[in-house]
Amino acid sequence: MKKAKKRLPVTGSRASVGRHEENLPWKKQKLLDIHQALNSDPVDIETLRQATVSEGGLLTDDIRRKVWPKLLNINVYSLPAKPSKDVREDHKDYRQVVLDVRRSMRRFPKGMRVDEREVLQEQLIDIILDVLRRNPQLHYYQGYHDIVVTFLLVLGERMTIAIMEKLSNHHLRDFMDPTMDSTKHILNYLMPLLERVDRELHDFMIRSEVGTIFALSWLITWYGYVLSDFRHVLRLYDFFLASHPLMAIYFAAVIVLYRQKEVKSSECDMASVHHLLSRMPQDLPYEDLIGRAQSLFSSCPPSQMSRSAALQSRNILAISTFTDFQTSTRTQRPDSVLRQQIQKRQEHQLALPMMPQPTGTNQLIKMAVWGLSATLGAAALAVAQTALDWAPEFLSQLF
């Protein structure tokens, strides 16, 4: 009889586990740790990162909707507005974005109604164009939509805009240059990483002249394009969101290393090796590979690998801004505090004395003021209710 696999509890920067909690099943313990981290003030971001990369990731989409924004320092009560109706007008990337989105039907859940998918595809187009219009320094690339659709299916339109704006200026920034030079440079990390772990495999691939182009779609879509099971895509997004911007190329290295026997058994020519590696197996041991990628990153950090002769000197924007980006996530207030702040501001605004109106004020103006007050009250109630709905739903998963 097999012994049950022993799982380590999520640990972070705070001691969150009491004696009475030690015997909880690991998933319930993980949920409890996440809940406590989200409600700490400031938010316990290190525990959230550890929960994200440890076995099982964030477990459910409900939890992702709470944790993903915190990993990127996004205030869920201050989201961008929905794209305006003119977002598509005269946009240089409009035609290419539409073509890519129209071809992305397989990225939507099987069984989804056609009309529902078409609504999401229209939202996908608008989100991409809105992020690009508001960030003119960013340039669209084919594969960007594969990342956007993953967030859209989990988070909805407005949150996806906020997530993509942050990611596009940090983790994905180098893919969004006018040329592919920075992207090629990141791909150049692959061969030196293989050489550090398996010199024989590295030499075989060099002789085959396969290069690194087989991993391009892995890297620039965070594997969303090549994995058919959405659960596996989400598990990797958990991992990448909590990790260094170059973690996706380290994950590519551990995939190739995992398949080293297949590679070495193939014909040593570009066509054969490229054909083999470009077909991504769908039954990879993802948890094991995530652990290997973390170990490889620790033993061969980017600062060390960039000195390799195979890598030309180049400033990677995602790396140069990563330390400041991580620091900015450590001072976030929990959603309960943010909600209270919004409510207090709205109550203060409503409590301000009304300016005296001229005796001849038009009745229509009075009606407009009454309508605005009612709308503000409804908005405050909606914000509060959205946040409050989360806690019972979350806690119900614990017991």
Side-chain angles (χ1 to χ4, degrees), residues 18 29 49 68 120-121 158 183 223 242 282 303 342 353 355 380:
Q29 182 61 65
R49 286 194 184 114
W68 280 358
L120 288 171
Q121 285 180 308
R158 292 179 64 199
T183 304
Y223 300 81
Q282 299 301 307
S303 58
I342 290 175
M355 295 295 291

Side-chain angles (χ1 to χ4, degrees), residues 7 24-32 56 59 397-398:
R7 295 178 172 88
L24 282 177
W26 74 275
K27 285 188 178 180
K28 289 185 177 181
Q29 182 61 65
K30 189 170 196 176
L31 289 168
L32 183 60
L59 302 176
Q397 298 176 64
L398 293 177

Side-chain angles (χ1 to χ4, degrees), residues 11-44:
T11 57
S13 58
R14 298 172 190 264
S16 60
V17 181
R19 289 184 178 276
H20 65 288
E21 297 163 358
E22 288 177 357
N23 295 323
L24 282 177
W26 74 275
K27 285 188 178 180
K28 289 185 177 181
Q29 182 61 65
K30 189 170 196 176
L31 289 168
L32 183 60
D33 289 345
I34 292 171
H35 180 65
Q36 291 174 339
L38 285 168
N39 286 282
S40 297
D41 191 5
V43 172
D44 187 356

Side-chain angles (χ1 to χ4, degrees), residues 320-332:
S320 62
T321 62
F322 183 61
T323 300
D324 290 341
F325 172 76
Q326 271 201 318
T327 302
S328 71
T329 65
R330 295 189 179 119
T331 57
Q332 298 175 85

Side-chain angles (χ1 to χ4, degrees), residues 237-287:
Y237 276 45
D238 289 343
F239 178 44
F240 295 145
L241 283 171
S243 302
H244 189 280
L246 292 189
M247 189 57 81
I249 196 66
Y250 281 77
F251 196 77
V254 298
I255 289 177
V256 177
L257 288 165
Y258 176 75
R259 303 185 68 192
Q260 54 90 15
K261 288 184 180 179
E262 294 177 81
V263 174
K264 294 174 185 176
S265 299
S266 68
E267 294 294 327
C268 188
D269 59 69
M270 196 232 335
S272 299
V273 179
H274 183 275
H275 179 69
L276 172 67
L277 290 174
S278 61
R279 293 183 301 162
M280 178 71 73
Q282 299 301 307
D283 58 348
L284 292 171
Y286 294 95
E287 297 299 337

Side-chain angles (χ1 to χ4, degrees), residues 361-374:
T361 300
N362 190 294
Q363 185 67 19
L364 288 176
I365 296 178
K366 293 181 180 179
M367 293 175 65
V369 173
W370 295 336
L372 179 59
S373 299

